[in-house]
Amino acid sequence: MSKEPKQIPKSARFLLGGSAGISATIITQPLDMLKNRMQMSGLGKKEKQYKTSIHALTDIVQKEGFLELYNGLSAGVLRQATYTTSRMGIYSYLLESLKKNDYKLTFPLRVGCGLGAGVVGAFIGTPADVAMIRMTSDGRLPPSERRNYRHVFDALIRIVREEGVLAMWTGVLPTIGRAMVVNAVQLSTYSTVKEQLIKMKVVDDNILCHFLASMMSGFLSTVASLPIDIAKTRMQNMKIVDGRSEYSGMVDVIGKVVAQEGVLALWKGFTPYYARLGPHTVLTFIFMEEYTRLYRVYVMKDTSGEGSGF
């Protein structure tokens, strides 16, 4: 007879979520670089800078060196330490609390938990996100216009000193909007697909199950969130010219993209974005599941076989 599963401490929920996000980011950072460069391609120019993701990859490596693909890694890690720690920790804690109080975890309820977790995580993680966008986009600029941030903390210090504290939350509304969409789709879809796969006995609660659920989650998240992510990327990378911002808001960005580049430009960089978000989603959930299992077994001495709670 199995023992009653123990409750994972709240602090551990956040630690496990952040560790999973950081582990995934270390692996997928070059894909984030390609995604950001593709989204900035064509901005302020008559022709696109990069025609395809492969063109972007080869051009960056040839002109800027292989290590440029990891420019912004420190910001990416800090973003995961803030954003993912918050969103994954809050989401898993909410689900566990609802289960404990005998609520039926319906899909709409999971979506609501994902929305809430996304809002909080996005606000906390925006400063690191701004730094990462600027660092990964820097190489596309002429040498005289580059910011040349040495690392994420240099970026944040200079942003505050040169532009003010509030500049760290540039694009916070589209960032929150993207996070709401990503988390509502990603987290709720993962939980639901995983549950149904196990319930229908397609697979057991193992790595294959986590892989299948996270692949579906990553694809749907990409389709839903890419237009908002493009608006966020361009707002966070914009410059102030003659005292005026390049864009007045998310709607202004999307309107100008559609008018100047066409509707399909809202999904520009789909391949590197999915290539980044897909594997990142898969790796984050797999790391989360495995770290949680290891924590239960080796720290909590829990032999009930209970999973992550997702």
Side-chain angles (χ1 to χ4, degrees):
M1 185 175 179
S2 62
K3 297 180 181 178
E4 185 71 19
K6 300 176 182 178
Q7 297 294 313
I8 295 178
K10 298 181 183 67
S11 57
R13 285 287 183 191
F14 288 88
L15 178 62
L16 292 167
S19 298
I22 290 171
S23 299
T25 291
I26 290 172
I27 297 172
T28 61
Q29 177 63 24
L31 299 175
D32 225 359
M33 160 68 79
L34 288 179
K35 183 266 294 184
N36 290 337
R37 288 293 185 91
M38 285 292 291
Q39 289 181 349
M40 299 303 296
S41 178
L43 182 62
K45 298 180 179 180
K46 293 182 179 180
E47 297 183 357
K48 295 179 181 179
Q49 187 175 4
Y50 306 118
K51 297 179 176 64
T52 65
S53 301
I54 299 300
H55 177 212
L57 175 63
T58 55
D59 190 70
I60 291 169
V61 172
Q62 289 174 359
K63 294 180 179 178
E64 303 170 51
F66 179 79
L67 292 180
E68 181 65 19
L69 294 174
Y70 290 89
N71 188 13
L73 178 59
S74 61
V77 169
L78 181 61
R79 181 177 181 273
Q80 296 302 316
T82 51
Y83 169 63
T84 300
T85 295
S86 302
R87 76 182 183 105
M88 296 288 275
I90 291 172
Y91 183 73
S92 57
Y93 170 69
L94 288 175
L95 290 190
E96 194 170 83
S97 298
L98 290 169
K99 285 181 182 178
K100 188 177 179 181
N101 288 282
D102 298 323
Y103 280 89
K104 184 179 180 181
L105 295 180
T106 61
F107 184 73
L109 194 57
R110 286 190 169 112
V111 169
C113 291
L115 285 171
V119 170
V120 176
F123 183 80
I124 295 173
T126 294
D129 200 36
V130 171
M132 183 179 69
I133 294 296
R134 292 186 177 192
M135 291 173 75
T136 54
S137 301
D138 214 31
R140 64 177 290 276
L141 298 172
S144 60
E145 296 180 20
R146 293 176 187 173
R147 296 180 173 96
N148 295 317
Y149 297 136
R150 297 193 304 275
H151 47 72
V152 63
F153 297 109
D154 177 48
L156 294 176
I157 290 170
R158 284 180 52 190
I159 288 171
V160 172
R161 186 172 63 235
E162 296 169 9
E163 304 170 50
V165 174
L166 293 181
M168 290 196 296
W169 277 271
T170 299
V172 67
L173 292 181
T175 300
I176 289 176
R178 174 190 176 277
M180 290 174 67
V181 172
V182 168
N183 283 275
V185 176
Q186 185 187 73
L187 298 178
S188 59
T189 301
Y190 177 81
S191 299
T192 303
V193 173
K194 174 187 168 184
E195 183 182 75
Q196 291 303 311
L197 288 173
I198 296 171
K199 186 177 181 180
M200 296 169 64
K201 298 183 179 180
V202 177
V203 289
D204 295 324
D205 188 359
N206 53 27
I207 289 183
L208 177 58
C209 174
H210 308 154
F211 173 80
L212 293 174
S214 56
M215 280 297 290
M216 177 62 73
S217 172
F219 179 77
L220 294 176
S221 300
T222 301
V223 174
S225 67
L226 186 51
I228 300 175
D229 189 73
I230 286 180
K232 176 187 75 69
T233 298
R234 294 202 175 186
M235 283 188 69
Q236 291 177 333
N237 197 58
M238 68 181 178
K239 293 192 173 186
I240 307 299
V241 180
D242 297 327
R244 297 183 63 184
S245 299
E246 192 173 356
Y247 303 110
S248 61
M250 182 170 61
V251 175
D252 184 40
V253 178
I254 292 175
K256 287 181 177 177
V257 169
V258 171
Q260 298 171 9
E261 303 169 50
V263 175
L264 292 181
L266 293 175
W267 282 271
K268 182 185 291 184
F270 182 91
T271 300
Y273 186 64
Y274 178 64
R276 183 266 179 191
L277 186 59
H280 192 275
T281 300
V282 171
L283 290 170
T284 297
F285 282 122
I286 288 178
F287 279 129
M288 179 72 175
E289 297 278 3
E290 288 303 302
Y291 289 167
T292 302
R293 182 183 65 80
L294 293 172
Y295 183 86
R296 283 190 179 279
V297 172
Y298 293 105
V299 178
M300 299 176 65
K301 308 299 181 185
D302 182 359
T303 58
S304 65
E306 183 75 1
S308 67
F310 269 61

